[in-house]
Amino acid sequence: MAIEILKIVGISLIATFLALVIKEQKPNFAFLLVVFVGCSIFLMLLDQISQIINMIERIAVKANVNMVYLETILKIIGIAYIAEFASQITKDAGQGAIASKIELGGKILILAMAIPILTVIIETIIKLIPS
């Protein structure tokens, strides 16, 4: 894993240098380079992401956790990462207003997906309180 971060940092630094050089002549190409490198880094991490999800699923099965809740939590995490990634790319393009709307949309979707889990937690707490 230490080698992976060195690859990511190396690619990022090279892309940053190239983007700064290209930006003076062709700003559109510099932006495309940044987006391409960002997507490439994400693709490099897919194997680790898959391993993490598999480990969490194994732990959930051993703990006898309802898989619906685990799937919901994983979707929420995915929404958070995707919204952050898209927001950062949009900010890099100089569109801060759109980036903030992406963040807002991500937060609302996360809240909407979390409501069933919050409902179960509240119902469980109410059952534990003596009447």
Side-chain angles (χ1 to χ4, degrees):
M1 292 216 186
I3 303 258
E4 293 295 321
I5 191 64
L6 292 176
K7 288 179 186 176
I8 291 169
V9 169
I11 290 170
S12 299
L13 290 175
I14 292 169
T16 301
F17 176 73
L18 287 174
L20 288 173
V21 171
I22 295 172
K23 191 173 188 175
E24 294 176 12
Q25 299 292 326
K26 301 278 186 179
N28 292 340
F29 288 136
F31 174 71
L32 290 174
L33 173 66
V34 170
V35 171
F36 175 76
V37 169
C39 291
S40 297
I41 290 171
F42 176 75
L43 291 174
M44 287 173 56
L45 296 172
L46 279 180
D47 188 43
Q48 278 77 24
I49 293 169
S50 175
Q51 289 176 7
I52 292 167
I53 291 171
N54 289 335
M55 181 188 67
I56 292 171
E57 286 176 345
R58 285 194 307 271
I59 292 170
V61 168
K62 286 181 183 178
N64 202 19
V65 173
N66 189 337
M67 293 307 282
V68 171
Y69 301 130
L70 178 64
E71 289 173 4
T72 302
I73 290 171
L74 290 175
K75 287 177 184 177
I76 287 171
I77 293 169
I79 289 170
Y81 280 121
I82 291 168
E84 177 68 19
F85 184 74
S87 173
Q88 290 299 323
I89 288 175
T90 309
K91 285 179 185 175
D92 288 343
Q95 299 298 319
I98 294 174
S100 65
K101 303 311 181 276
I102 292 171
E103 292 169 358
L104 176 64
K107 290 173 186 176
I108 290 172
L109 289 173
I110 287 170
L111 181 60
M113 292 191 76
I115 287 175
I117 294 174
L118 291 172
T119 303
V120 170
I121 291 171
I122 291 170
E123 290 173 353
T124 303
I125 292 172
I126 290 173
K127 288 179 186 175
L128 294 173
I129 298 174
S131 17

